[in-house]
Amino acid sequence: MIRYLPVLMIALIVGNLLTILGLTTNLSPLTTRLFLIGGPSMTVIAAIAIVVIVLRAKK
């Protein structure tokens, strides 16, 4: 499970980037909505997965 940490950290960065792009750029409404739904959800899922992996590794 620890080997997935770099991938999850990249997913965390990409999720934040998508959220920032959705908030600051003037794209089509469909693309903006996709960024504003997908970005935060990717960030939250990656953050929860990182916390779970770290807590399991401590045991």
Side-chain angles (χ1 to χ4, degrees), residues 18-34:
L18 288 176
T19 304
I20 291 168
L21 285 174
L23 290 171
T24 59
T25 58
N26 191 14
L27 300 169
S28 68
L30 180 65
T31 306
T32 302
R33 189 170 297 144
L34 179 69

Side-chain angles (χ1 to χ4, degrees), residues 2-58:
I2 293 177
R3 64 180 173 213
Y4 296 120
L5 281 176
V7 174
L8 290 171
M9 288 180 191
I10 291 172
L12 196 67
I13 292 168
V14 170
N16 285 328
L17 178 66
L18 288 176
T19 304
I20 291 168
L21 285 174
L23 290 171
T24 59
T25 58
N26 191 14
L27 300 169
S28 68
L30 180 65
T31 306
T32 302
R33 189 170 297 144
L34 179 69
F35 282 1
L36 289 177
I37 292 172
S41 62
M42 181 186 289
T43 302
V44 169
I45 291 170
I48 291 171
I50 289 171
V51 168
V52 168
I53 290 173
V54 168
L55 288 177
R56 282 192 178 181
K58 284 188 174 184

